[in-house]
Amino acid sequence: MKETEIIRLKDDVQLNNPIMFVGLPGVGHVGKLVVEHLIENLEGEKVIEIYSPYFPPQVLVNNDNTIKLVNNEIYACNINGQDILILAGDHQSSTNEGHYELGSLYLDLAEEFGVSKIYTLGGFPTGEFNHNEGVIGAVNNINLVEELEGYGVEFRENEPGNGIVGASGLILGLCDFRNIDAACLMGLTSGYIVDPKSAQSILRVIDRILDIEIDEEELEKRAKEMEKVVEKIKTMKEQQDSGNLPQKDEDINYII
């Protein structure tokens, strides 16, 4: 494969002024968790598969030991008369060039479907394991700030201080060239683990945006499982700090 390939699974997709949610793997896998939950609960229909040499050279192994080449996918769904597109997938680009090429491709498809607004979803790393319900926002149009504040999104001056790396930030920047309003919603997360609780925080903002209430049961189960992992990590850290657990025995600075 020398070029990115777009596989269209349906040729007759008709959408009316859709909005788009983008949740690719990143800090805490927060955005990925959110869009996977949306796809399941809103019964999203897969309409596009995207394969690219900018993704890692990897296949995933299914439960029946068959393989799946890593890709990204676009789903379509409708809730309360609002058409929605959801970009989900296995990986972001592994190169800077690929980020720009794929970002432009995603926006080409968004324009093709007449997308009026894009929300990219991700995590805002705090370095702390104590959970905070907050969702931090960034926008490419100042007029979106008041609207999103009404949905519970917080805007902090010059935050994130180091910018937004990867697809979540780049798509906002590229949207300026397409005259598409875009916002990034970032759930507060430690940055060390997969974080279903942070995903729940973003999901509640999306509930307000769409004026619906999405079932959180599956995310809640995963959050409770992760709480046990966090408590174990905290205990290990305390033991480490007290000298009872040598650093070389266990390194807690990882992403689960």
Side-chain angles (χ1 to χ4, degrees):
M1 181 187 297
K2 294 183 179 180
E3 298 180 354
T4 298
E5 294 189 12
I6 301 173
I7 309 299
R8 298 176 185 273
L9 304 179
K10 290 191 66 177
D11 294 325
D12 59 345
V13 181
Q14 299 294 324
L15 301 175
N16 180 29
N17 200 37
I19 61 176
M20 187 176 193
F21 293 102
V22 177
L24 298 175
V27 178
H29 272 28
V30 176
K32 179 177 173 65
L33 288 172
V34 174
V35 296
E36 288 177 346
H37 197 74
L38 287 174
I39 291 166
E40 181 178 352
N41 282 265
L42 301 182
E43 299 180 351
E45 179 181 15
K46 184 162 60 173
V47 295
I48 288 177
E49 292 179 346
I50 300 167
Y51 298 88
S52 177
Y54 292 116
F55 296 146
Q58 180 184 0
V59 296
L60 302 179
V61 181
N62 301 315
N63 291 334
D64 62 358
N65 298 112
T66 60
I67 59 91
K68 168 187 176 292
L69 182 64
V70 295
N71 72 332
N72 288 345
E73 302 169 340
I74 294 179
Y75 293 77
C77 54
N78 181 285
I79 185 74
N80 294 339
Q82 172 66 64
D83 283 330
I84 297 169
L85 284 176
I86 301 172
L87 172 61
D90 300 317
H91 286 284
Q92 297 195 35
S93 169
S94 55
T95 70
N96 291 339
E97 179 185 1
H99 272 296
Y100 278 89
E101 180 169 317
L102 289 172
S104 294
L105 182 148
Y106 301 146
L107 293 183
D108 286 343
L109 293 170
E111 286 187 323
E112 176 185 325
F113 287 112
V115 167
S116 59
K117 190 178 294 182
I118 294 177
Y119 297 94
T120 65
L121 314 174
F124 183 107
T126 66
E128 302 290 337
F129 280 113
N130 295 326
H131 176 65
N132 188 309
E133 285 287 338
V135 174
I136 306 299
V139 297
N140 74 338
N141 182 341
I142 192 66
N143 294 326
L144 294 175
V145 171
E146 184 176 356
E147 174 188 343
L148 289 173
E149 285 180 332
Y151 297 136
V153 178
E154 180 183 355
F155 290 86
R156 300 178 179 177
E157 186 175 357
N158 296 324
E159 288 284 3
N162 294 322
I164 306 171
V165 178
S168 292
L170 181 60
I171 287 174
L172 260 67
L174 294 177
C175 277
D176 277 348
F177 297 101
R178 311 291 185 115
N179 293 317
I180 300 175
D181 285 347
C184 181
L185 307 179
M186 296 164 280
L188 297 178
T189 181
S190 68
Y192 299 129
I193 61 172
V194 173
D195 196 341
K197 274 189 169 295
S198 182
Q200 284 179 294
S201 296
I202 292 180
L203 192 63
R204 288 162 192 159
V205 171
I206 293 174
D207 280 347
R208 299 179 194 118
I209 291 172
L210 299 178
D211 193 24
I212 59 175
E213 186 172 346
I214 300 171
D215 183 5
E216 297 182 17
E217 182 178 358
E218 189 58 35
L219 277 178
E220 184 63 28
K221 288 179 182 177
R222 297 187 67 172
K224 289 180 179 179
E225 293 172 359
M226 196 54 64
E227 282 177 357
K228 297 176 183 178
V229 174
V230 170
E231 288 305 313
K232 181 177 179 181
I233 293 174
K234 286 181 178 179
T235 299
M236 290 165 51
K237 184 66 166 60
E238 291 171 359
Q239 292 174 337
Q240 205 173 78
D241 291 344
S242 66
N244 293 328
L245 181 65
Q247 176 74 33
K248 66 179 180 180
D249 286 350
E250 195 79 47
D251 183 5
I252 68 168
N253 294 315
Y254 56 85
I255 296 177
I256 296 172

